[in-house]
Amino acid sequence: GAVVSQHPSWVICKSGTSVKIECRSLDFQATTMFWYRQFPKQSLMLMATSNEGSKATYEQGVEKDKFLINHASLTLSTLTVTSAHPEDSSFYICSARGQGRLNTEAFFGQGTRLTVV
Amino acid sequence: SQKIEQNSEALNIQEGKTATLTCNYTNYSPAYLQWYRQDPGRGPVFLLLIRENEKEKRKERLKVTFDTTLKQSLFHITASQPADSATYLCALPPGGSNYKLTFGKGTLLTVNP
């Protein structure tokens, strides 16, 4: 149990276009979802925290108008990278936490490799 | 803010030996600390959680210790196997929240056959 599915696993897009990444909790209700970005050989950097039905909370330095997060249901959160540029190329990973026993650890999706050309 | 140091960027050991990875943190002591495994191009996978009032936690060939005086956690893999080769990440909640996680850069472990 406690599976998080992220889609797509990789995407290549042209500079200036927008890309949407989906994160789904398949067998539990994710009360909170987190979005991270990871550059090569670097740590996971938290971008934002989202709770179902409310606005996401962004970390300092993360542009909320560029990285749009929607958490419309307890099983789905989306991250849209708007007007993507080559410097946005990175590995984006979502994680989800549930309630009770599922609150102890974070369950991660498999990540999305974004390449902006 | 909390700073996490995993002081070995890479560690190479021989199969069958025990791998020991270190995680040091600055500032306040967190309520808990977690270890994750990350394979190339994949998301992290949870391994173990240890709470501030626990000295040691074990799970099969894995052992984690937590020394709040030294502000350090050690992660051990006994009888290591080539399949254990991966990046291991230390994570703990940052200040002001027990819900978010701050990650270290990780240690790339390579177990040679």
Side-chain angles (χ1 to χ4, degrees):
Chain A
V3 178
V4 175
S5 177
Q6 196 171 331
H7 178 82
S9 55
W10 61 270
V11 58
I12 301 173
C13 72
K14 289 186 176 180
S15 187
T17 61
S18 294
V19 173
K20 180 184 282 189
I21 302 169
E22 290 187 350
C23 180
R24 293 179 185 274
S25 57
L26 298 186
D27 50 3
F28 70 102
Q29 293 186 327
T31 49
T32 305
M33 286 190 172
F34 304 87
W35 287 94
Y36 293 85
R37 181 165 53 180
Q38 186 178 34
F39 292 104
K41 294 190 177 182
Q42 295 296 314
S43 170
L44 279 77
M45 297 300 297
L46 179 65
M47 299 174 67
T49 303
S50 74
N51 292 295
E52 182 261 340
S54 60
K55 288 184 178 180
T57 302
Y58 290 80
E59 295 299 303
Q60 194 171 9
V62 178
E63 299 174 60
K64 63 179 180 181
D65 295 329
K66 182 168 183 62
F67 299 99
L68 301 178
I69 292 172
N70 184 281
H71 192 164
S73 77
L74 282 171
T75 59
L76 173 64
S77 176
T78 60
L79 167 68
T80 301
V81 183
T82 62
S83 186
H85 291 288
E87 57 265 31
D88 298 323
S89 299
S90 187
F91 191 53
Y92 291 86
I93 314 173
C94 71
S95 76
R97 292 181 105 154
Q99 293 179 324
R101 183 187 66 81
L102 296 175
N103 182 262
T104 304
E105 61 189 85
F107 302 95
F108 284 83
Q110 60 269 51
T112 298
R113 173 72 59 193
L114 170 64
T115 303
V116 185
V117 297
Chain B
S1 61
Q2 189 71 280
K3 186 179 176 184
I4 302 173
E5 290 178 354
Q6 291 187 250
N7 57 359
S8 292
E9 194 172 303
L11 179 65
N12 288 273
I13 63 168
Q14 208 61 32
E15 182 177 7
K17 300 292 185 184
T18 296
T20 299
L21 284 63
T22 305
C23 175
N24 293 289
Y25 57 91
T26 60
N27 302 334
Y28 68 96
S29 278
Y32 62 86
L33 187 147
Q34 300 184 354
W35 284 88
Y36 288 79
R37 168 181 174 145
Q38 186 176 24
D39 290 284
R42 309 290 294 177
V45 174
F46 172 80
L47 295 175
L48 280 168
L49 176 150
I50 187 165
R51 300 189 189 281
E52 60 181 337
N53 60 348
E54 298 175 317
K55 295 289 185 188
E56 182 180 297
K57 203 82 166 280
R58 290 175 186 261
K59 179 182 175 183
E60 298 173 353
R61 293 184 295 111
L62 309 180
K63 184 178 87 170
V64 172
T65 63
F66 195 6
D67 189 326
T68 55
T69 302
L70 291 178
K71 297 188 177 181
Q72 181 181 83
S73 174
L74 299 178
F75 177 80
H76 306 272
I77 304 176
T78 59
S80 59
Q81 304 165 0
D84 295 326
S85 299
T87 296
Y88 291 87
L89 305 169
C90 167
L92 47 87
S97 169
N98 270 348
Y99 214 51
K100 300 181 190 179
L101 285 176
T102 298
F103 284 83
K105 283 188 179 181
T107 296
L108 175 59
L109 174 67
T110 303
V111 181
N112 301 304

